[in-house]
Amino acid sequence: MTAAEEAGPQSVRVNLLFNERPVRVPYGVTLFDAASWNGIAIDSTCGGHGTCKKCRIRIADDPPVPSSLDIRAYTPQEIRDGWRLACRTAATRDTRVEVPPLTTRPKAATVGVGRQVILRPAVQKRYLELAEPSLADQASDLERVLAQLEDLEPRAELSVLTTLGRTLREADYKVTAVVVDDVLIAVEPGDTTARRFGIAFDLGTTTVVATLLDLSTGTPAGVESTLNKQQPFGADVITRISATMMDPGALDKLQNLARETLAELAQAVCAQGGVEPHEVYEVAVAGNATMTHLVLGIDPEPLGMAPFIMATRLYPEVLAADLGLGGVVHPRGRAVVFPAFGAYVGGDITAGLLASGMDRDARVRLFVDIGTNCEIVLGNREWLLATAAPAGPAFEGAAIRCGMRAADGAIEVVTMTPDDVSLKVIGDAEPQGLCGSGLVDAVTGLVRVGLLDSSGRFITEDEARVRAPGLAGRLRRIGKERVFVLHWRGPGNPAAEDSIYLSQRDVRELQFAKAAIATGWQILLEEAGLEAADVKQVLLAGSFGSYLSPASAIRIGLVPKVPVMRVVSAGNVAGEGAKMALLSLRERAGGLALLEEVRYVELSDRADFNDRFVDQLPFPPG
Amino acid sequence: MTAAEEAGPQSVRVNLLFNERPVRVPYGVTLFDAASWNGIAIDSTCGGHGTCKKCRIRIADDPPVPSSLDIRAYTPQEIRDGWRLACRTAATRDTRVEVPPLTTRPKAATVGVGRQVILRPAVQKRYLELAEPSLADQASDLERVLAQLEDLEPRAELSVLTTLGRTLREADYKVTAVVVDDVLIAVEPGDTTARRFGIAFDLGTTTVVATLLDLSTGTPAGVESTLNKQQPFGADVITRISATMMDPGALDKLQNLARETLAELAQAVCAQGGVEPHEVYEVAVAGNATMTHLVLGIDPEPLGMAPFIMATRLYPEVLAADLGLGGVVHPRGRAVVFPAFGAYVGGDITAGLLASGMDRDARVRLFVDIGTNCEIVLGNREWLLATAAPAGPAFEGAAIRCGMRAADGAIEVVTMTPDDVSLKVIGDAEPQGLCGSGLVDAVTGLVRVGLLDSSGRFITEDEARVRAPGLAGRLRRIGKERVFVLHWRGPGNPAAEDSIYLSQRDVRELQFAKAAIATGWQILLEEAGLEAADVKQVLLAGSFGSYLSPASAIRIGLVPKVPVMRVVSAGNVAGEGAKMALLSLRERAGGLALLEEVRYVELSDRADFNDRFVDQLPFPPG
């Protein structure tokens, strides 16, 4: 590992300005992904391999060094003007990006981790000009419509029939049939074939994200995120399950809060995209098992205690109305709910694996979604192993003395030398606390400069004055506990109690979390008969994992010791998987097929788990 | 035709007392059918052919002459004690009947017109004792249940999942799965396999009948009927369709009234049978196209005017809740809605054909359901032709000066000689008016004694005094119209205006009705290349047709001129068909298959209809 690699990227977030729309993305992702994840449509048909040359963008101010593919794609003048391929340009600094409007009607979309998806959405529309009935042709109204949809062989819903007669006659027998999968859900007057939309939801325990997709083009038409309204019932899934066990009314309340969260997001993205509610014919939901159970009103109690049993792995046919969206999308809109591998490897992970193509790649890859519950999947296109590790709330900022979520004022990057500490704060604001990536960075820095020994204990003040003379003054005590001050609040050198600090107990919390995770992937590697070096790529997924410094993650042993370039941020793969399910029936089937392809490894019944966990507590040698 | 045949049965209704329960049935039906139609269970496995000898009943008072099958089935002492086979004993007089309780658990039931139905209901129950989950066996709750139902391959409903976890754990993993067709609709604690019920509805324009069936035995557990609550919107389908065209709110109102009618009947039959609402897992509905459209909330307007187009022939998957029964049967109970051949040959006729086995019999048979709209089907197991004839409201008592529905006080039988008129009145009450069968009898009698000529005109008073001296005094005038007094109200010989009479215009109404019907079956006979004599059986179906005097029907040309014994009352075949659909998936499929087997002949676009209609107006020569 070179010194540069060791230091890692200077920032874990990059500010971009796409056509004057500001977005914030993990360091190093391509500008194509950065745009796509934020609802900004860029042409692409090659899956991000730089071959279709459609993903044209312009960086007018101080354009980056062109890649060899850029040089083949553009004239020298264009290169000088800042034209680049979005799929080949990484976000490594704050940048202003111009995206030309879409010129083609795409047949494919690039989503997830470089996945090219041929557009074949479940939502199909057909414009029909029907013959008027007569005494010589008394076919029923429905037969008349179905005769034109023979290749789709849909079944009709009762709701279509209630108004079909009036619609046909008022529209002069010129109508558009809306078929979702194998169901005729609507017959609309006139030709509405140009308008069909879906909403992909990433239903997280903390944050919920909705992406409105134009299903005809595969392009996003709106993205919104918000906190899950269930938050007051607890930060993690266990506290929410517990709530349903204490209070018989809590399940209803939690279900309604989840439904309200989805409904508000649906309204927001439709407003953003200029789409009428009835033009949204399908939604897809990727969430962990608890979130999925709760939003569907399924009693989650058996998920919360051994032996951790789901009501179902595969969900039955569900309508958008069953998710509380009846009034904000098409009243008979359908819903795709991602199936789960286990109580703690849920539909969000199924969606994430689909989006990252874990079952398509020949390379052995490790997928790690870091959170209170950490889901880990190892494998390639031949085999896949999955497990869940109970990491605890450290990464969410909970149980950390000065912890906070990754919001404005959170220290997200900590860079440490023996002489000084420098911080990067979200929103460039006065520091308010430490978020998960800052926590990992801080501990990594302290280990690297030697203020923490490999067991995770602060060294003595005397030793500190020798090893890191510029930092020794930051080692303090609050009561009996030793702390390291990251940031003095106010002028001068006030009491440690008022500073933003990292305590000995905080370090222990992180050690427990990373030991649980490392035990998880260690066991999977052993089950597969592999070693860390065999892992060709580590995908850091989820809202926390995506913003983690790969170098720090490696340094403290959160991920296997591989070259830092092999550790990549995969972004919000759950949401990407949900988008894929809306855009392609084939990909949707692929998501289902994953259930058969993944073997779930339960950690909680392994006799050797505790021994292995203790083995993983120390920090690896530098 | 013998004189006895010519005279016809003396009564069209017979009062029976089954185990002290009074019922009223058409003359000549078997006591087995009479019991079955009225919810009284009698053993039978042979389809009413006298071979299984299970349908034991006892007529203690004045038992009828035993049949040869009775003599083989019983000892001489039993014969003397009044034991008879219910399927071989006709209801020809008021009778007290003792029915022993069921002793066997039947595998088949006899329903409809002598149809033996092997019990294979769509509603199935399985008692399951499941292995408890463990860390070594983390199959989901649903997988655990479905593994035991592999042969049924059901899909689960979301509603099952919401409480499945709790049910399994509280019931100690001993549960009963309820599968309807291919859907798992419930998992109940403990062993409930002994309790499964369905309700068959005959949803008539005037009268609605519900039969609660024990699906394990095929036996009825309750029967109730009531007037369709839509009545205030008009007596026939056309007035109800018109209402929806005038008033945008009428469709909702009509739908709700139909739903209330069904719901009240469901509650009544459950109370009668001692059945809990959640034990009713399926309902079947046979109704004409308009009634079916209305109860499902489907706009009926296109049914009401040429070219008479249905929204659909086949109805989509429907829940009992879609019929307004969500609260009064199992909340996820399913519904079977009979498909229709045409706007005026609806699901009631599909059910009726199923019940009468029109597609199974080698003989050419004519099925006639007489009402405001008259449905006519001709054929055998090789071919079937159907049509609808607009008979008008005469048979319902409407448009007839002294007409009334067949209720207490209605003259239902009129017997006439040249000297006198004798009347039979429903409920043995003072006559209030004339119902359909009385109307047909009265006109038949007047034709027979010669007071009406073959053109349907009353002969002169002078001629009357010669031909029927005892009746001539009843020929009067009210204003300019000639009338025949059937019953003088009060003592003496008061004004004709105050009597119950038949007017010249009433005779014309009946002529128009019978001409429309006769034109219908004439055209079907011609389409088939047959003559009246080729018809081996005429089935008079529906609430009016069943009570019509066969001899009178033949005499005035309402049915083809065949020996009177060939004309039989088929009873409420629509309701019987609905029962069959609940008892047997195979019969249900047979009902669907009828849609392909029946060819619909539209009368209203035939250029020769009016000529033929005029040809049928006269009464045939005696």
Side-chain angles (χ1 to χ4, degrees):
Chain A
M1 205 178 278
T2 67
E5 280 175 357
E6 174 74 10
Q10 283 303 300
S11 172
V12 292
R13 280 169 203 252
V14 177
N15 296 305
L16 302 173
L17 211 58
F18 281 105
N19 294 353
E20 306 307 317
R21 181 149 155 217
V23 310
R24 204 166 163 79
V25 298
Y27 178 91
V29 302
T30 68
L31 293 182
F32 184 89
D33 285 350
S36 175
W37 298 348
N38 288 283
I40 294 144
I42 300 182
D43 269 351
S44 171
T45 58
C46 71
H49 293 97
T51 52
C52 77
K53 295 172 187 151
K54 293 204 162 138
C55 59
R56 294 164 59 88
I57 54 167
R58 183 163 176 251
I59 300 163
D61 306 335
D62 190 15
V65 176
S67 70
S68 58
L69 285 164
D70 286 325
I71 291 167
R72 271 188 264 163
Y74 297 107
T75 66
Q77 184 58 46
E78 285 176 320
I79 294 285
R80 274 190 298 275
D81 290 346
W83 287 99
R84 298 292 182 273
L85 294 176
C87 73
R88 296 282 109 181
T89 310
T92 54
R93 59 193 163 91
D94 296 356
T95 307
R96 177 185 296 269
V97 185
E98 294 166 34
V99 180
L102 291 188
T103 53
T104 59
R105 189 181 172 85
K107 290 199 166 54
T110 299
V111 290
V113 182
R115 297 294 309 281
Q116 188 198 8
V117 175
I118 307 292
L119 295 179
R120 224 215 114 193
V123 177
Q124 299 197 60
K125 281 191 162 188
R126 289 280 174 81
Y127 174 59
L128 311 175
E129 298 193 352
L130 303 170
E132 281 194 36
S134 66
L135 285 172
D137 171 14
Q138 289 181 315
S140 70
D141 289 336
L142 183 61
E143 286 170 304
R144 209 165 289 279
V145 171
L146 293 182
Q148 302 293 314
L149 304 172
E150 264 184 356
D151 54 321
L152 303 176
E153 286 184 31
R155 58 190 163 90
E157 297 217 316
L158 177 57
S159 59
V160 170
L161 289 172
T162 55
T163 53
L164 180 60
R166 193 169 297 267
T167 303
L168 289 186
R169 285 158 187 81
E170 286 180 358
D172 206 17
Y173 295 89
K174 295 178 176 62
V175 292
T176 300
V178 186
V179 177
V180 183
D181 212 349
D182 61 345
V183 185
L184 177 68
I185 69 161
V187 174
E188 301 173 341
D191 183 353
T192 67
T193 49
R195 306 283 293 175
R196 51 176 169 149
F197 296 87
I199 301 177
F201 290 102
D202 165 25
L203 176 56
T205 310
T206 305
T207 305
V208 185
V209 185
T211 305
L212 177 68
L213 286 177
D214 183 330
L215 300 175
S216 299
T217 61
T219 51
V223 178
E224 292 284 348
S225 73
T226 187
L227 288 180
N228 189 325
K229 288 179 189 283
Q230 294 176 339
Q231 288 280 338
F233 280 80
D236 55 39
V237 299
I238 293 297
T239 51
R240 296 197 201 157
I241 295 171
S242 302
T244 68
M245 294 161 66
M246 314 284 199
D247 168 11
L251 173 54
D252 269 2
K253 287 178 203 153
L254 284 164
Q255 180 182 23
N256 286 334
L257 290 168
R259 292 161 65 121
E260 284 167 24
T261 310
L262 297 183
E264 281 185 14
L265 283 174
Q267 288 177 305
V269 289
C270 284
Q272 196 183 325
V275 168
E276 294 293 320
H278 76 266
E279 296 176 318
V280 177
Y281 302 101
E282 191 169 49
V283 304
V285 178
N288 63 47
T290 304
M291 287 306 109
T292 308
H293 275 53
L294 287 176
V295 76
L296 292 173
I298 301 173
D299 182 7
E301 188 174 328
L303 295 171
M305 48 190 161
F308 316 114
I309 303 300
M310 288 181 284
T312 188
R313 300 207 303 161
L314 272 170
Y315 293 92
E317 208 167 71
V318 171
L319 298 181
D322 293 321
L323 300 165
L325 298 170
V328 294
V329 303
H330 192 284
R332 297 300 293 177
R334 318 290 291 185
V336 184
V337 178
F338 270 86
F341 301 108
Y344 291 95
V345 183
D348 50 347
I349 303 308
T350 312
L353 297 185
L354 179 67
S356 53
M358 283 289 285
D359 61 333
R360 304 282 183 106
D361 204 308
R363 299 171 296 171
V364 171
R365 300 199 291 170
L366 179 68
F367 174 104
V368 189
D369 188 329
I370 298 170
T372 304
N373 174 61
C374 178
E375 298 95 345
I376 306 165
V377 184
L378 178 73
N380 61 16
R381 66 185 174 199
E382 307 289 334
W383 53 271
L384 289 165
L385 297 173
T387 193
F395 297 118
E396 312 282 355
I400 300 296
R401 291 293 192 86
C402 298
M404 67 177 285
R405 273 218 319 278
D408 277 1
I411 299 169
E412 60 166 343
V413 181
V414 179
T415 319
M416 220 177 277
T417 66
D419 299 316
D420 201 11
V421 174
S422 77
L423 308 176
K424 191 160 187 301
V425 180
I426 298 180
D428 293 324
E430 184 64 14
Q432 304 294 324
L434 193 61
C435 71
S437 63
L439 171 69
V440 172
D441 271 2
V443 171
T444 304
L446 290 167
V447 169
R448 196 187 293 120
V449 299
L451 290 183
L452 284 172
D453 65 20
S454 71
S455 78
R457 192 195 309 261
F458 280 115
I459 63 173
T460 64
E461 279 87 348
D462 289 347
E463 289 173 310
R465 273 186 288 273
V466 176
R467 291 218 185 163
L471 303 181
R474 294 173 179 253
L475 263 186
R476 299 291 182 98
R477 280 176 197 271
I478 295 178
K480 287 187 174 170
E481 193 180 26
R482 304 189 66 193
V483 305
F484 179 84
V485 174
L486 288 163
H487 175 75
W488 303 106
R489 283 189 216 261
N493 212 345
E497 283 84 344
D498 296 331
S499 71
I500 297 171
Y501 58 83
L502 186 76
S503 76
Q504 182 66 62
R505 217 163 64 196
D506 296 340
V507 176
R508 293 299 183 214
E509 288 286 345
L510 180 64
Q511 280 183 281
F512 286 148
K514 76 105 186 172
I517 295 168
T519 304
W521 51 255
Q522 281 279 2
I523 285 175
L524 293 191
L525 281 171
E526 274 184 34
E527 289 273 330
L530 296 178
E531 296 189 349
D534 295 322
V535 176
K536 294 296 185 285
Q537 188 174 54
V538 177
L539 293 165
L540 292 175
S543 55
F544 170 67
S546 295
Y547 287 100
L548 193 61
S549 154
S552 294
I554 296 168
R555 183 60 189 83
I556 63 164
L558 191 55
V559 300
K561 193 161 183 177
V562 294
V564 73
M565 295 302 284
R566 290 193 192 169
V567 181
V568 300
S569 172
N572 171 16
V573 281
E576 291 293 298
K579 285 158 69 175
M580 288 170 70
L582 290 179
L583 295 179
S584 162
L585 279 170
R586 199 175 145 194
E587 297 293 346
R588 185 181 301 183
L592 269 185
L594 278 165
L595 280 202
E596 305 300 318
E597 294 164 7
V598 174
R599 180 160 73 82
Y600 182 71
V601 178
E602 175 65 46
L603 295 186
S604 63
D605 67 339
R606 289 185 72 110
D608 58 349
F609 181 82
N610 284 347
D611 284 349
R612 290 166 161 283
F613 176 78
V614 171
D615 287 348
Q616 292 295 334
L617 282 172
F619 297 110
Chain B
M1 204 180 277
T2 68
E5 280 174 358
E6 173 75 10
Q10 282 306 297
S11 170
V12 292
R13 281 167 202 252
V14 177
N15 296 305
L16 302 173
L17 210 59
F18 281 106
N19 295 352
E20 308 307 318
R21 182 150 154 216
V23 310
R24 203 166 163 80
V25 298
Y27 178 91
V29 302
T30 68
L31 293 182
F32 183 89
D33 284 350
S36 176
W37 297 349
N38 287 283
I40 294 144
I42 301 181
D43 269 350
S44 170
T45 58
C46 71
H49 293 98
T51 52
C52 77
K53 295 169 186 153
K54 293 201 162 139
C55 59
R56 293 165 59 89
I57 52 165
R58 183 162 175 252
I59 300 163
D61 307 335
D62 188 15
V65 176
S67 71
S68 58
L69 285 164
D70 285 326
I71 290 167
R72 270 188 267 165
Y74 297 107
T75 65
Q77 183 58 45
E78 285 176 323
I79 294 284
R80 273 190 299 277
D81 288 346
W83 288 99
R84 298 290 183 275
L85 293 176
C87 74
R88 296 284 108 183
T89 310
T92 54
R93 59 193 164 93
D94 295 356
T95 308
R96 177 185 296 270
V97 184
E98 293 166 36
V99 181
L102 291 188
T103 54
T104 58
R105 189 182 172 80
K107 290 198 168 51
T110 299
V111 289
V113 182
R115 297 295 310 279
Q116 186 197 9
V117 174
I118 307 292
L119 296 179
R120 225 215 114 195
V123 177
Q124 300 196 59
K125 281 191 162 190
R126 287 282 173 80
Y127 174 59
L128 310 175
E129 296 192 353
L130 304 170
E132 281 194 35
S134 67
L135 285 171
D137 171 14
Q138 290 180 313
S140 70
D141 289 336
L142 182 61
E143 285 171 305
R144 211 166 287 279
V145 170
L146 292 183
Q148 303 292 312
L149 304 172
E150 265 184 356
D151 55 321
L152 303 177
E153 286 185 30
R155 60 192 162 89
E157 297 218 316
L158 177 58
S159 60
V160 171
L161 289 171
T162 55
T163 54
L164 180 60
R166 193 170 296 268
T167 303
L168 288 186
R169 284 158 188 82
E170 287 180 358
D172 207 17
Y173 295 89
K174 294 177 175 64
V175 292
T176 300
V178 186
V179 176
V180 183
D181 211 350
D182 61 344
V183 185
L184 177 69
I185 69 161
V187 175
E188 301 174 342
D191 183 353
T192 66
T193 48
R195 306 282 293 174
R196 49 175 169 148
F197 295 88
I199 301 177
F201 289 102
D202 166 24
L203 176 56
T205 309
T206 305
T207 305
V208 186
V209 185
T211 305
L212 178 67
L213 285 177
D214 183 332
L215 299 176
S216 299
T217 61
T219 52
V223 178
E224 292 284 350
S225 73
T226 187
L227 287 180
N228 189 326
K229 288 178 189 284
Q230 295 177 340
Q231 288 281 336
F233 280 80
D236 54 41
V237 298
I238 292 297
T239 51
R240 298 199 199 156
I241 295 171
S242 302
T244 69
M245 294 160 67
M246 315 283 197
D247 167 10
L251 173 55
D252 270 2
K253 287 179 205 155
L254 285 164
Q255 179 181 24
N256 286 334
L257 290 168
R259 291 162 65 121
E260 284 167 25
T261 309
L262 296 182
E264 281 185 16
L265 283 174
Q267 288 178 307
V269 289
C270 284
Q272 195 184 326
V275 168
E276 294 293 321
H278 76 267
E279 296 175 319
V280 177
Y281 302 101
E282 191 170 49
V283 303
V285 178
N288 63 47
T290 304
M291 288 305 109
T292 309
H293 275 52
L294 288 176
V295 75
L296 292 172
I298 302 173
D299 181 8
E301 188 174 327
L303 295 171
M305 49 192 161
F308 315 115
I309 302 300
M310 288 181 285
T312 187
R313 298 207 305 162
L314 270 170
Y315 292 92
E317 210 168 68
V318 170
L319 298 181
D322 293 321
L323 299 166
L325 298 170
V328 294
V329 304
H330 192 285
R332 296 301 293 178
R334 318 290 290 187
V336 184
V337 178
F338 270 87
F341 300 108
Y344 290 95
V345 183
D348 50 346
I349 303 307
T350 313
L353 297 185
L354 180 66
S356 53
M358 282 289 285
D359 60 334
R360 305 282 183 105
D361 206 309
R363 299 173 294 172
V364 171
R365 300 200 291 170
L366 179 67
F367 173 103
V368 188
D369 189 329
I370 297 171
T372 303
N373 174 58
C374 177
E375 297 95 345
I376 306 165
V377 184
L378 177 74
N380 61 16
R381 66 186 175 201
E382 307 289 336
W383 54 272
L384 288 165
L385 297 174
T387 194
F395 298 118
E396 313 280 357
I400 299 297
R401 292 290 192 88
C402 297
M404 69 178 283
R405 271 220 320 282
D408 278 0
I411 298 169
E412 60 168 345
V413 181
V414 178
T415 318
M416 220 176 281
T417 67
D419 298 316
D420 201 9
V421 174
S422 77
L423 308 176
K424 192 159 185 299
V425 180
I426 297 180
D428 292 324
E430 182 65 14
Q432 304 294 323
L434 193 61
C435 72
S437 63
L439 172 69
V440 172
D441 271 2
V443 171
T444 304
L446 290 168
V447 170
R448 196 186 295 118
V449 299
L451 290 184
L452 284 172
D453 65 21
S454 69
S455 76
R457 192 196 309 260
F458 280 114
I459 61 175
T460 63
E461 279 88 347
D462 289 346
E463 288 173 315
R465 274 187 288 273
V466 176
R467 290 219 185 160
L471 302 182
R474 293 174 180 253
L475 263 185
R476 298 291 181 101
R477 281 179 195 270
I478 296 178
K480 288 187 174 170
E481 193 179 26
R482 303 188 66 192
V483 305
F484 179 84
V485 174
L486 289 163
H487 176 73
W488 302 105
R489 282 187 217 261
N493 213 344
E497 283 84 344
D498 295 333
S499 72
I500 298 171
Y501 58 82
L502 186 76
S503 75
Q504 181 67 65
R505 212 162 67 196
D506 296 340
V507 176
R508 295 297 183 213
E509 288 286 343
L510 181 65
Q511 279 183 283
F512 286 149
K514 76 107 187 171
I517 294 169
T519 304
W521 51 255
Q522 281 280 4
I523 286 175
L524 293 191
L525 280 171
E526 273 184 35
E527 289 273 329
L530 296 178
E531 296 189 349
D534 296 320
V535 176
K536 295 296 185 287
Q537 189 174 52
V538 177
L539 293 166
L540 292 176
S543 55
F544 170 67
S546 295
Y547 288 101
L548 193 60
S549 153
S552 295
I554 295 168
R555 183 62 190 83
I556 63 164
L558 191 54
V559 300
K561 193 159 183 177
V562 294
V564 73
M565 295 302 285
R566 290 193 192 169
V567 181
V568 301
S569 172
N572 171 14
V573 282
E576 291 294 297
K579 284 158 71 175
M580 288 170 70
L582 291 178
L583 295 179
S584 162
L585 279 170
R586 200 176 146 193
E587 297 294 346
R588 188 181 300 181
L592 270 184
L594 278 167
L595 281 202
E596 305 300 318
E597 294 164 8
V598 175
R599 182 160 72 83
Y600 182 71
V601 178
E602 174 67 45
L603 296 187
S604 62
D605 67 339
R606 290 185 71 109
D608 57 351
F609 182 83
N610 285 346
D611 284 347
R612 291 166 160 282
F613 176 79
V614 170
D615 287 346
Q616 293 294 333
L617 283 173
F619 297 110

